[in-house]
Amino acid sequence: YPLRRQRQMCIRDRSDVIEEKRCITLNDPLSQSKIKIPCRSSKCLHTTCFDLGAWLSLNQNILSFVCPICDQYISWKDVIIDSYAQKIIDELPQYVLQIEIYPSGKWRPRSTRLNQSLSFVETVDLTLLS
C-alpha cells in the first residue's frame, strides 16, 4: 500500500503546508484513456476518480472488488459517480487530460500536448453550482 503510506506521511503534520493548487489527471488508471464517467468509492480516503465503464468491464466476473487507486477492497454499493468531476469532464475539449484545482474549488484546464493552445483558459468556479 505505498500510496496509502505516502498519504499518511503527508497528513501527519499539515500545519505548515499551504496548498495552492493540485494537478489532477483525467486519465483512467485502468484503461489509460480519458475518463468518461468519473467514480470512486465512498470508503476511500482519496478524491481521485477512475472510469466506471472500465472498472465494471474489468470486474464483471469478479466477486471482490479493489479500488484501482489505493488497492482497498470495496463493494460495488460504495461506488459513487463524482458529479463535480463529471461537470469538469463535460466542459473540456477531448485533448485536455489534466486540470489544476485550487482550494477555492475553481479549476483550470492544462494542455498536455506540446504547442497546443487552449481555446479557453478562464478559471471556472463550479462551487456555485453545488
Side-chain angles (χ1 to χ4, degrees):
Y1 302 125
L3 290 177
R4 192 174 297 160
R5 283 191 200 132
Q6 288 177 7
R7 181 171 177 17
Q8 289 170 346
M9 289 170 39
C10 292
I11 291 175
R12 284 188 189 146
D13 182 19
R14 296 187 65 126
S15 60
D16 61 341
V17 176
I18 299 174
E19 184 177 6
E20 291 184 18
K21 64 183 175 184
R22 289 187 305 149
C23 182
I24 305 291
T25 182
L26 301 176
N27 273 347
D28 175 59
L30 299 170
S31 66
Q32 297 302 310
S33 59
K34 190 169 180 179
I35 294 173
K36 294 178 184 160
I37 303 173
C39 67
R40 57 188 167 79
S41 170
S42 60
K43 303 291 182 184
C44 295
L45 298 176
H46 58 81
T47 57
T48 305
C49 294
F50 51 91
D51 184 67
L52 180 62
W55 185 76
L56 290 174
S57 178
L58 182 71
N59 291 300
Q60 63 185 346
N61 296 323
I62 300 174
L63 298 176
S64 63
F65 307 110
V66 175
C67 173
I69 308 298
C70 67
D71 296 328
Q72 176 176 305
Y73 285 99
I74 57 177
S75 167
W76 64 268
K77 295 176 188 175
D78 298 324
V79 175
I80 57 172
I81 295 175
D82 189 319
S83 59
Y84 180 73
Q86 186 70 62
K87 286 181 187 289
I88 293 171
I89 289 168
D90 290 345
E91 289 188 23
L92 291 172
Q94 187 63 29
Y95 63 84
V96 177
L97 301 176
Q98 293 182 339
I99 59 168
E100 295 172 349
I101 295 184
Y102 298 87
S104 66
K106 293 180 180 181
W107 60 271
R108 175 184 167 107
R110 289 185 56 169
S111 176
T112 56
R113 290 183 179 177
L114 293 176
N115 302 323
Q116 176 70 54
S117 61
L118 297 174
S119 58
F120 60 98
V121 291
E122 178 182 347
T123 301
V124 180
D125 186 357
L126 289 180
T127 58
L128 301 175
L129 300 175
S130 23

